[in-house]
Amino acid sequence: MQTSRTTPSRLAKRAHYDEATIHPILDEALFCTVSYVIDGQPMAIPTAYVRKGDKLYIHGSVGSHFIRSIEQGNPVCISVMLTDGLVLAKSAFHHSVNYRSVVIFAKAEKVTDEAERMEALALITDHLIPGRWNDLRPTTNSEMRKTTVLAFSLDEASAKVRTGGPGDEPEDENLPTWAGVIPMQTVRLTPVPAQNSLETALPDYLQ
Amino acid sequence: MQTSRTTPSRLAKRAHYDEATIHPILDEALFCTVSYVIDGQPMAIPTAYVRKGDKLYIHGSVGSHFIRSIEQGNPVCISVMLTDGLVLAKSAFHHSVNYRSVVIFAKAEKVTDEAERMEALALITDHLIPGRWNDLRPTTNSEMRKTTVLAFSLDEASAKVRTGGPGDEPEDENLPTWAGVIPMQTVRLTPVPAQNSLETALPDYLQ
């Protein structure tokens, strides 16, 4: 949703407020940075999350200072960034980055329904490793008691996206400097088994 | 430096305060998230940066709302995260992430010395693309006037690092579930030339 604080002061053409732009970014990235305020001091913690519908879920230890600082519903800013490439222009000034980012202004809602809590944990696990949850033993009541699940509305979410090549000044166009894009990608390498899994075959969902 | 706000409430063994841990993380990562506060509301912006000595530099447009909001020296929290792998345990509860992160509490110092400003821009450019700066035409006075450079002390920086495989409960050790680490890496792909560079050879520093 476009509000005064989700409207950028510059390059407004890069801003998007539609789910069709925002949701795929949130579904592709694995980690967000949650920013919050304690006594006027900004704090920030990177953490895993998942989107379901128009909500974003995170989890943490009930004893975590971070979780206890935000679970009462004070304002947070959640940011996510995917880096798609470095943009090399003919001048330093026009160098840029191709990225897809989302910023969410929201307040934590503590999830208390046990079924919703369990589903959020399953979805967070499967967001990181699709197919994992169903391969695991059930989570115990004791583990659930140690875990806080927080939900955040996506109502005040916005995306910024830059794509394409460099935008150079007309007078720089013919400089004999290489210009273009260096694409970047985050990749998963071959899984490395733990000692206690050396004799266990790699499951299909990890192939 | 260890202060009350750089001391984690949990897993304190993962915290580090020495330059030998903090500097390589800042040198390997390319982007940070700068969190700041406006009227009690946390805000966060991802941006490029570079470390030199015990300072971190960022730059931005003199007209940027973000830059104008922090250049007066109100407190910011700068966070950086490198994701090295997903850690799969035999229970969902013990799934984790191998990461190296840095959090810096600081206040912006606006850099006014022209030589230091120019050096910071060169270092930011070469942090993203080593060797690039010397291949570019000189930055103009007009471009310099449009650019703000901010420096942040690393005095109150701390790192958190997790490495290694999963830590499972003794009673889960023999479950026939695959456990281990999925290493993750950010890679640069083959550079794609812009239209105005199709006839320019790829420079050595991009090979």
Side-chain angles (χ1 to χ4, degrees):
Chain A
M1 188 172 71
Q2 183 162 13
T3 63
S4 63
R5 60 190 178 187
T6 63
T7 303
S9 58
R10 298 182 60 257
L11 300 170
K13 66 183 176 185
R14 290 188 190 163
H16 301 266
Y17 305 94
D18 57 308
E19 293 181 357
T21 305
I22 292 169
H23 288 187
I25 298 171
L26 294 177
D27 296 347
E28 182 174 334
L30 300 184
F31 303 98
C32 65
T33 300
V34 181
S35 304
Y36 56 106
V37 184
I38 296 185
D39 296 335
Q41 169 67 50
M43 317 283 284
I45 296 277
T47 192
Y49 70 90
V50 74
R51 178 195 69 84
K52 187 198 173 193
D54 58 358
K55 282 193 179 166
L56 186 135
Y57 291 92
I58 69 169
H59 79 303
S61 164
V62 294
S64 141
H65 188 246
F66 160 54
I67 293 288
R68 285 185 288 121
S69 297
I70 65 171
E71 69 184 1
Q72 299 305 325
N74 33 326
V76 304
C77 176
I78 300 175
S79 66
V80 164
M81 184 191 190
L82 293 166
T83 309
D84 295 325
L86 304 173
V87 181
L88 283 65
K90 301 216 168 187
S91 63
F93 191 74
H94 284 294
H95 276 58
S96 189
V97 177
N98 283 340
Y99 64 91
R100 290 168 287 151
S101 68
V102 169
V103 167
I104 302 157
F105 295 110
K107 295 174 178 181
E109 304 153 40
K110 194 167 175 177
V111 181
T112 53
D113 179 79
E114 277 304 298
E116 188 181 357
R117 278 160 46 78
M118 188 70 85
E119 187 192 13
L121 297 177
L123 292 172
I124 290 170
T125 303
D126 280 350
H127 183 210
L128 292 166
I129 311 135
R132 182 64 173 169
W133 185 263
N134 283 335
D135 195 22
L136 296 168
R137 69 153 171 78
T139 292
T140 65
N141 290 339
S142 161
E143 290 167 342
M144 290 302 285
R145 277 196 301 274
K146 292 175 184 162
T147 305
T148 298
V149 175
L150 301 177
F152 301 88
S153 161
L154 297 181
D155 280 354
E156 206 172 340
S158 60
K160 277 175 78 180
V161 177
R162 190 202 188 278
T163 57
D168 269 307
E169 299 296 330
E171 60 265 34
D172 290 335
E173 286 287 349
N174 294 320
L175 288 175
T177 313
W178 191 92
V181 174
I182 304 174
M184 294 179 72
Q185 217 170 42
T186 299
V187 295
R188 295 173 185 224
L189 309 180
T190 308
V192 179
Q195 276 297 327
N196 61 7
S197 286
L198 288 177
E199 292 170 21
T200 306
L202 194 67
D204 283 347
Y205 61 85
L206 297 180
Q207 301 281 358
Chain B
M1 186 172 72
Q2 184 161 11
T3 64
S4 64
R5 60 189 177 187
T6 64
T7 303
S9 58
R10 299 181 60 256
L11 300 169
K13 66 184 176 185
R14 290 188 191 165
H16 301 266
Y17 305 93
D18 57 309
E19 293 181 358
T21 305
I22 292 168
H23 287 188
I25 297 170
L26 294 176
D27 296 347
E28 181 174 335
L30 300 183
F31 303 99
C32 65
T33 300
V34 181
S35 304
Y36 56 107
V37 185
I38 296 184
D39 296 335
Q41 170 67 51
M43 316 284 284
I45 296 276
T47 192
Y49 71 90
V50 74
R51 178 195 70 84
K52 187 198 173 192
D54 57 358
K55 283 193 179 166
L56 186 137
Y57 292 92
I58 69 170
H59 79 304
S61 165
V62 294
S64 142
H65 188 248
F66 160 55
I67 293 289
R68 286 185 286 121
S69 297
I70 65 171
E71 69 185 0
Q72 300 304 326
N74 32 327
V76 304
C77 176
I78 300 175
S79 66
V80 164
M81 185 190 189
L82 293 166
T83 308
D84 295 324
L86 304 174
V87 181
L88 283 65
K90 301 215 168 189
S91 63
F93 191 75
H94 284 294
H95 277 58
S96 188
V97 177
N98 283 339
Y99 65 91
R100 289 168 288 150
S101 68
V102 169
V103 167
I104 302 158
F105 295 111
K107 295 174 177 181
E109 304 154 38
K110 194 168 175 177
V111 181
T112 54
D113 179 80
E114 278 304 298
E116 187 181 357
R117 277 159 45 78
M118 189 70 84
E119 187 191 14
L121 297 177
L123 292 172
I124 290 170
T125 303
D126 280 349
H127 182 210
L128 292 166
I129 311 135
R132 182 63 172 169
W133 185 263
N134 283 336
D135 196 21
L136 296 169
R137 68 155 171 76
T139 292
T140 66
N141 290 340
S142 161
E143 290 167 342
M144 290 302 285
R145 277 195 301 273
K146 293 175 184 161
T147 305
T148 298
V149 175
L150 301 178
F152 301 89
S153 161
L154 297 181
D155 280 354
E156 206 172 341
S158 59
K160 277 175 77 180
V161 176
R162 191 203 188 278
T163 58
D168 269 305
E169 299 295 330
E171 61 265 34
D172 290 335
E173 286 287 349
N174 293 321
L175 287 175
T177 313
W178 190 92
V181 174
I182 304 174
M184 294 179 72
Q185 217 170 43
T186 299
V187 295
R188 295 173 185 224
L189 309 180
T190 307
V192 180
Q195 276 297 327
N196 61 9
S197 285
L198 287 176
E199 292 170 20
T200 306
L202 194 68
D204 284 347
Y205 61 85
L206 296 181
Q207 302 281 358

